[in-house]
Amino acid sequence: MALLKAAYLPSGVSFPVKYEDLSSSSSFKVSQKSCLVEKPVASMKKSSFSYPGLCKASSGSPTINPGVQVSLKRAVAKKVVELIKPGMIVGLGTGSTASLAIEEMGKLFQKGKLKDVVGVGMSYQSKVLARQFGVKTADLNDVNTIDFAFDGADEVDSSMNLIKGGGAAHTMTKVVDTTAKQCVIIVDQSKIVLELGQTFPVPVEVLPQAISPVLRRLVALGGVPEIRTALRKDGPVITDHGNMVVDVRFPEGIKDPGSLERDINMIPGVLENGLFVGVADSVLVATQDGEDISVVELAEFVRSLKSAKES
């Protein structure tokens, strides 16, 4: 871990560190436990990272049972596959919920209910899954258009703004989602939040050669960046494109996702970030009410929560 820090943090930096050159009014430190650039703890407001915003009371609600969450994901995966028509070119999303949708597509292929459908994978994982379940695939450069795309998300606000990139595939995902004529996001109710950034950091794909200056600029934007490290290998996570991922938390929340998305992408060395603003055409939300599971549009889900709160 010490070698990783030495290789990817600004030259001449030792531990602990004060980044007076990054901000005239604040000092910064680097965590000994990770490549995390932090603001002083005393200056950070406490924030809750429990159950996300719209799905919790002010005191916090219990998280969804893992078994129930799988059922919710399966329900919304089946629902989105119903929207796929024969002859479509379909963008195949990333993440656990999108993977279930790819599996459901495969079942329909085997039954002969989906004919002449071609999938365009947004990641290496989605391409492999598609082939595993018998879905014909093509490269994005080999198709003229994408009729329909489905994808998951890590967080969704009431305006259909998203945070994606938990699987480090957000760059290609954004390309495919924005190319599609229709992009449908599929999530369970735990992913709906009042304000983006409450639970998940914003992933940023960065050229390895530019990691140090990019970290400085992300701190200047008010972020707390951390180089994402791999779980089953030494060193950082490397994307399908050979780049590194920096996860950036914003302790004050993300008030203007559109501006922040543009500001991050303007940093030289940044390839793309995980804020998706104005990309989704609709969001399907799987919800549980007692023993019943249903799939509704985001607007309907938000209205039901507001009504429940008022009653």
Side-chain angles (χ1 to χ4, degrees), residues 12-84:
V13 169
S14 58
F15 301 96
V17 145
K18 287 188 176 181
Y19 277 76
E20 280 91 353
D21 58 321
L22 301 180
S23 172
S24 58
S25 59
S26 301
S27 61
F28 299 81
K29 69 177 182 178
V30 179
S31 169
Q32 293 280 8
K33 296 182 180 180
S34 67
C35 299
L36 174 64
V37 181
E38 300 174 328
K39 289 184 179 180
V41 175
S43 69
M44 294 175 62
K45 291 183 179 179
K46 293 182 180 179
S47 52
S48 173
F49 296 114
S50 58
Y51 204 67
L54 285 174
C55 300
K56 68 175 183 179
S58 58
S59 60
S61 301
T63 56
I64 298 177
N65 178 283
V68 172
Q69 190 168 32
V70 171
S71 297
L72 292 173
K73 291 181 177 184
R74 178 71 68 178
V76 74
K78 289 181 177 180
K79 189 69 174 180
V80 78
V81 171
E82 294 176 4
L83 302 177
I84 301 173

Side-chain angles (χ1 to χ4, degrees), residues 171-239:
T171 296
M172 194 62 192
T173 294
K174 191 176 285 190
V175 173
V176 175
D177 284 347
T178 56
T179 301
K181 294 178 182 178
Q182 183 183 15
C183 176
V184 178
I185 301 301
I186 51 176
V187 295
D188 65 76
Q189 64 186 58
S190 69
K191 303 300 178 69
I192 311 304
V193 298
L194 283 169
E195 184 177 88
L196 294 181
Q198 292 185 349
T199 305
F200 282 88
V202 177
V204 181
E205 185 165 355
V206 181
L207 295 172
Q209 299 87 343
I211 195 71
S212 292
V214 168
L215 285 174
R216 295 189 185 98
R217 295 284 293 273
L218 291 170
V219 170
L221 289 177
V224 181
E226 179 180 5
I227 297 172
R228 188 183 299 183
T229 54
L231 295 178
R232 300 181 67 178
K233 65 175 282 292
D234 291 335
V237 167
I238 302 299
T239 70

Side-chain angles (χ1 to χ4, degrees), residues 40-178:
V41 175
S43 69
M44 294 175 62
K45 291 183 179 179
K46 293 182 180 179
S47 52
S48 173
F49 296 114
S50 58
Y51 204 67
L54 285 174
C55 300
K56 68 175 183 179
S58 58
S59 60
S61 301
T63 56
I64 298 177
N65 178 283
V68 172
Q69 190 168 32
V70 171
S71 297
L72 292 173
K73 291 181 177 184
R74 178 71 68 178
V76 74
K78 289 181 177 180
K79 189 69 174 180
V80 78
V81 171
E82 294 176 4
L83 302 177
I84 301 173
K85 307 301 180 186
M88 277 187 169
I89 297 175
V90 180
L92 307 176
T94 61
S96 57
T97 309
S99 295
L100 291 174
I102 295 172
E103 180 183 343
E104 293 298 326
M105 281 183 67
K107 292 178 181 178
L108 294 181
F109 264 90
Q110 294 168 13
K111 295 177 181 177
K113 295 183 178 181
L114 270 184
K115 297 181 179 180
D116 302 320
V117 172
V118 177
V120 176
M122 301 183 194
S123 67
Y124 181 76
Q125 179 199 37
S126 59
K127 293 176 185 177
V128 170
L129 282 173
R131 292 166 186 163
Q132 177 183 335
F133 293 117
V135 179
K136 183 180 178 181
T137 62
D139 188 80
L140 178 60
N141 290 322
D142 296 328
V143 300
N144 293 324
T145 187
I146 295 178
D147 301 298
F148 180 86
F150 62 81
D151 206 357
D154 297 312
E155 283 188 351
V156 182
D157 70 13
S158 59
S159 299
M160 296 196 297
N161 300 314
L162 323 170
I163 289 181
K164 286 185 52 59
H170 54 280
T171 296
M172 194 62 192
T173 294
K174 191 176 285 190
V175 173
V176 175
D177 284 347
T178 56

